[in-house]
Amino acid sequence: MNPVVGLDVAKGESQIQMFLDKKRPYNNSVKVEHTVEGLEELHSYLLDLERQTGMKPPVVLESIGHYHAPVVQFLEAREYIAIIVNPLVSYRAKSSNLRKTKEVLFNLKDFIDNLLAGLA
């Protein structure tokens, strides 16, 4: 298994989708706030995925202004790999997909799939 977590970062909150492996989502997408309590909730989701797979998952997110900074700081303090993607690269990956959707969950899935395909 190659677990990975995708974060759609916005002002004050992030939408999270976890994957056990490529195209194998784990649980439903959830939203957490960028507060101490919200980031601890994120950590509990990451620990749950880690228990299921036996691996610490990397976390992929876009560099959106300064909104991602507290999340990255939180992840790095807990020794998670945070992969910060330039929004222009993300935009190209999203626009290369012929199937257009408006739901964040599907965009996260497509983004992770395209990113993993590009890294392979």
Side-chain angles (χ1 to χ4, degrees):
M1 274 190 234
N2 293 307
V4 66
V5 176
L7 294 184
D8 187 5
V9 179
K11 182 179 180 180
E13 64 186 25
S14 290
Q15 188 79 26
I16 305 162
Q17 179 63 58
M18 299 183 293
F19 296 86
L20 294 169
D21 210 340
K22 187 175 181 182
K23 298 189 183 217
R24 289 188 51 209
Y26 179 67
N27 290 337
N28 294 323
S29 174
V30 293
K31 190 178 289 187
V32 298
E33 293 183 2
H34 297 170
T35 61
V36 172
E37 296 82 13
L39 294 174
E40 287 298 336
E41 183 181 356
L42 167 62
H43 191 222
S44 71
Y45 293 130
L46 295 172
L47 289 173
D48 183 43
L49 182 60
E50 191 175 336
R51 280 190 291 276
Q52 292 295 320
T53 63
M55 299 174 66
K56 196 172 239 187
V59 180
V60 181
L61 61 147
E62 281 184 333
S63 168
I64 303 294
H66 62 280
Y67 301 135
H68 71 285
V71 178
V72 171
Q73 184 179 20
F74 181 87
L75 293 169
E76 288 178 346
R78 283 146 189 85
E79 299 181 351
Y80 283 92
I81 295 172
I83 301 170
I84 304 169
V85 180
N86 181 309
L88 296 175
V89 173
S90 171
Y91 177 77
R92 275 186 260 151
K94 289 175 189 174
S95 64
S96 69
N97 187 351
L98 296 176
R99 181 174 63 96
K100 300 291 182 192
T101 64
K102 291 189 177 184
E103 292 192 31
V104 171
L105 173 60
F106 291 112
N107 285 339
L108 274 172
K109 288 180 182 176
D110 292 340
F111 174 71
I112 295 293
D113 285 346
N114 287 330
L115 182 66
L116 292 176
L119 294 175

